[in-house]
């Protein structure tokens, strides 16, 4: 809003002139106007370029303008994946030589006591067996396909239901309509972090058929929790998951059902995939992310 813009472009540059830091790092795709100190900016993703139809026109314009300004003025650009680096160079070729890939760390899943699992299942009225999707409900997440796929598997005799966790975003109509017409599907708009940890521990599988992710934080959390995971074979998701997730051949309900079928039917397959996810998540540390950022700061400060 107006307060945010005033802070970003007037109050913040004024404060930075007084503080005179060696480097200023903005962590969300934008830099203040009139900045007079060496700057680093994190560009998390370029979804508004790659899947523009999933953004309101005004948001799309604002994000494109803010990112273009930041890319022009930053001495270094941090991205969380090689996929985002490739997108950044495609849409902003002049960023070449200034783009640095620093993956996020992935926190280990917190242990959840058995009695907590029982309490959360009862309090949230969770299904006995469920397939999980976590994230803001918006067009590019393809949540409707998850609900359709699980319903298809129920028709084959599997007992699982779809559980969707996440707030309503823009163009969520198709997903919400699909949830509403399926009396076995559940939607929880908001859950606490401890409850989400329990939900991960109870889930039979996690599905992210997203058309675009800059890193895939919800997928990362599922891997860390050892939830057998199915992903779209697009953008950063294969890079994040390696061989620790099943990749969809295409973004359709049939393909999701086909990917889920062996996971939900074969305990050995499920256990192997869950263990692979935990191991993969363990390769992403916040210490490595901090070291990567520190190297960039030293480089930028040395340019002054």
């Amino acid at each position: 809003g107006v307060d945010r813009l005033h802070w970003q472009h007037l109050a913040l540059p004024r404060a930075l002139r007084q503080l005179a830091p060696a480097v200023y790092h903005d962590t969300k795709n934008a830099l203040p106007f009139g900045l007079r100190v060496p700057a680093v900016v994190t560009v998390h993703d370029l979804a508004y370029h790659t899947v523009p139809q999933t953004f309101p026109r005004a948001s799309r314009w604002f994000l494109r303008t803010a990112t273009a300004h930041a890319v022009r003025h930053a001495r270094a650009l941090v991205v969380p994946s090689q996929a985002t680096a490739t997108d950044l160079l495609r849409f902003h070729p002049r960023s070449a030589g200034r783009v640095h890939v620093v993956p996020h760390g992935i926190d280990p899943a917190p242990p959840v006591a058995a009695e907590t699992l029982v309490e959360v299942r009862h309090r949230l009225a969770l299904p006995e067996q469920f397939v999980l999707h976590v994230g803001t409900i918006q067009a590019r997440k393809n949540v409707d396909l998850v609900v359709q796929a699980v319903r298809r598997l129920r028709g084959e005799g599997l007992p699982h239901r779809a559980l969707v966790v996440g707030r309503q975003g823009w163009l969520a109509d198709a997903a919400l309509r699909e949830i509403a017409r399926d009396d076995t599907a559940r939607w929880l708009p908001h859950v606490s972090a401890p409850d989400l940890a329990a939900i991960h521990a109870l889930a039979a599988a996690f599905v992210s058929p997203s058309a675009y992710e800059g890193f895939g934080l919800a997928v990362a959390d599922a891997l860390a929790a050892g939830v057998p995971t199915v992903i779209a074979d697009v953008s950063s998701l294969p890079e994040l998951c390696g061989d620790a997730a099943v990749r969809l051949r295409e973004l359709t309900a049939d393909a999701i059902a086909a990917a889920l079928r062996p996971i939900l039917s074969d305990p050995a397959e499920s256990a192997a995939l869950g263990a692979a996810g935990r191991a993969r998540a363990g390769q992403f540390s916040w210490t490595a992310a901090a070291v990567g950022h520190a190297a960039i700061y030293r480089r930028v400060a040395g340019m002054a």
Side-chain angles (χ1 to χ4, degrees):
V2 173
D3 287 347
R4 159 83 189 182
L5 291 173
H6 178 273
W7 177 84
Q8 173 99 13
H9 297 298
L10 292 174
L12 181 57
R14 202 159 47 231
L16 288 170
R17 279 195 291 275
Q18 292 173 345
L19 291 168
V23 179
Y24 169 70
H25 181 189
D26 198 298
T27 58
K28 202 166 183 184
N29 286 49
L31 286 175
F33 297 141
L35 196 62
R36 296 180 189 171
V37 298
V40 176
V41 69
T42 298
V43 178
H44 292 278
D45 65 66
L46 289 104
Y48 40 91
H49 275 297
T50 58
V51 280
Q53 69 279 10
T54 64
F55 284 79
R57 186 174 296 171
S59 294
R60 195 165 63 227
W61 176 86
F62 178 81
L63 289 164
R64 285 183 174 184
T65 303
T67 304
H69 172 263
V71 168
R72 264 197 316 275
H73 292 90
R75 296 196 183 181
L77 301 147
V78 181
V79 293
S81 64
Q82 185 56 54
T84 301
T86 301
D87 289 337
L88 189 55
L89 290 165
R90 175 156 63 106
F91 293 108
H92 299 280
R94 292 183 180 178
S95 63
R98 292 181 289 139
V99 181
H100 305 267
V101 179
V102 183
H104 300 311
I106 301 177
D107 291 322
V112 185
E115 57 268 27
T116 302
L117 296 180
V118 172
E119 188 276 326
V120 171
R121 187 193 292 280
H122 177 74
R123 174 165 46 82
L124 298 181
L126 300 177
E128 190 61 35
Q129 298 187 67
F130 59 88
V131 172
L132 178 64
H133 179 278
V134 177
T136 301
I137 302 176
Q138 52 187 309
R140 70 182 165 103
K141 304 289 186 175
N142 293 309
V143 177
D144 51 320
L145 300 182
V146 179
V147 178
Q148 290 170 13
V150 175
R151 186 165 65 238
R152 204 153 296 182
L153 293 171
R154 284 181 67 77
E156 298 174 10
L158 285 171
H160 302 79
R161 302 184 176 203
L163 176 64
V164 176
V165 175
R167 65 182 176 82
Q168 180 177 344
W170 194 68
L171 285 184
D173 296 0
L176 297 181
R177 204 165 40 239
E178 203 60 54
I179 293 168
R181 67 185 284 258
D182 187 332
D183 61 2
T184 69
R186 285 287 313 283
W187 173 35
L188 298 174
H190 305 283
V191 300
S192 67
D195 282 355
L196 183 57
I199 289 169
H200 277 131
L202 291 165
F206 181 95
V207 185
S208 177
S210 176
Y212 183 90
E213 294 294 329
F215 181 76
L217 291 171
V219 174
D221 287 342
L223 294 177
V227 189
T229 297
V230 175
I231 57 164
D233 195 9
V234 298
S235 61
S236 66
L237 293 178
E239 187 182 338
L240 167 63
C241 296
D243 295 328
V246 177
R247 302 183 191 185
L248 294 169
R249 299 185 314 275
E250 55 188 6
L251 292 182
T252 64
D254 279 341
I256 294 170
L260 283 171
R261 202 172 282 118
I263 296 170
L264 302 182
S265 306
D266 183 349
E269 175 77 15
S270 173
L273 201 53
R278 280 197 193 90
R280 180 67 179 178
Q283 296 175 22
F284 292 82
S285 79
W286 287 112
T287 299
V291 168
H293 280 89
I296 294 165
Y297 298 156
R298 281 194 293 271
R299 178 173 172 173
V300 169
M303 291 178 179

